[in-house]
Amino acid sequence: GKNFGAIGMNSEKFREQMWATREGAAALGQNLEDAVPVMTTLTEGFGFSRNEAAELAVSIMDTSMAIGLSNDEGAKLFGTLTKVAGLSADTAQDFMKQTALLAEASGAAPTAVMKDIARSSETIAKFTAKSPEHLMKAAIQANRLGMTLDDVGRTAEGLLNFQDSLNAEVEASAS
């Protein structure tokens, strides 16, 4: 009730989902208080419904543990992949695991790559054109270069501004 209001707790479906979330969190060695911030990140940050967030919380917590992220980082990554990159919930979970494995195989730091993707939703929206494969490769290469996706995005924007400046200069001299 403290986090979802008294009205929310009147929903039988939501109460049942919260019990299931509590049990799932306990199986991971966590508790309902660990799941609530995941749900809050999904509802407030990415527009998931309260029930959707409750259904997804335990699997996000599990994947986060598997790839070395905090629950909050995992929720942000999941939200970014589903709402910004357009992946389904199952595909986002698989993508998270595959990216961590590919980062490891590529000599990049998997946890750093995953944290970078989680905090770079604006850059992802600008430059990935909803292509998860490109996002995966860009995040890994950025890490191997000691950069982040946001660093790469700022560089790309700088190059685009330089090109615009050159185009304007050519147009001005042609006039």
Side-chain angles (χ1 to χ4, degrees):
K2 180 174 81 175
N3 292 296
F4 301 104
I7 293 174
M9 296 313 293
N10 286 329
S11 166
E12 183 67 30
K13 180 178 179 182
F14 184 64
R15 272 198 317 269
E16 289 173 7
Q17 185 59 50
M18 291 305 292
W19 280 110
T21 300
R22 187 178 131 229
E23 291 173 10
L28 297 173
Q30 299 188 50
N31 58 47
L32 189 57
E33 287 75 28
D34 296 317
V36 169
V38 171
M39 295 168 57
T40 302
T41 296
L42 294 177
T43 57
E44 293 178 6
F46 295 99
F48 283 87
S49 75
R50 181 190 65 208
N51 289 346
E52 287 175 313
E55 290 175 18
L56 293 166
V58 173
S59 65
I60 291 170
M61 292 164 64
D62 185 37
T63 300
S64 298
M65 288 174 61
I67 61 177
L69 297 180
S70 70
N71 289 338
D72 187 55
E73 291 166 333
K76 287 177 183 171
L77 177 59
F78 180 84
T80 296
L81 293 173
T82 55
K83 297 299 181 173
V84 177
L87 301 180
S88 71
D90 290 337
T91 304
Q93 294 278 354
D94 291 342
F95 176 85
M96 291 164 71
K97 293 171 187 171
Q98 290 170 353
T99 301
L101 291 171
L102 183 59
E104 181 74 33
S106 299
T111 303
V113 168
M114 303 312 290
K115 287 180 180 190
D116 184 23
I117 296 171
R119 67 178 167 258
S120 301
S121 60
E122 185 177 326
T123 302
I124 291 167
K126 283 182 186 176
F127 294 106
T128 62
K130 294 190 177 189
S131 173
E133 295 80 20
H134 292 123
L135 170 61
M136 181 189 313
K137 291 175 184 175
I140 291 169
Q141 289 303 322
N143 179 263
R144 291 180 69 201
L145 294 170
M147 299 175 70
T148 66
L149 286 173
D150 287 337
D151 294 335
V152 173
R154 282 189 293 278
T155 301
E157 285 177 343
L159 291 172
L160 291 173
N161 289 340
F162 182 71
Q163 182 63 41
D164 291 343
S165 176
L166 286 176
N167 288 343
E169 190 174 317
V170 168
E171 286 177 20
S173 66
S175 298

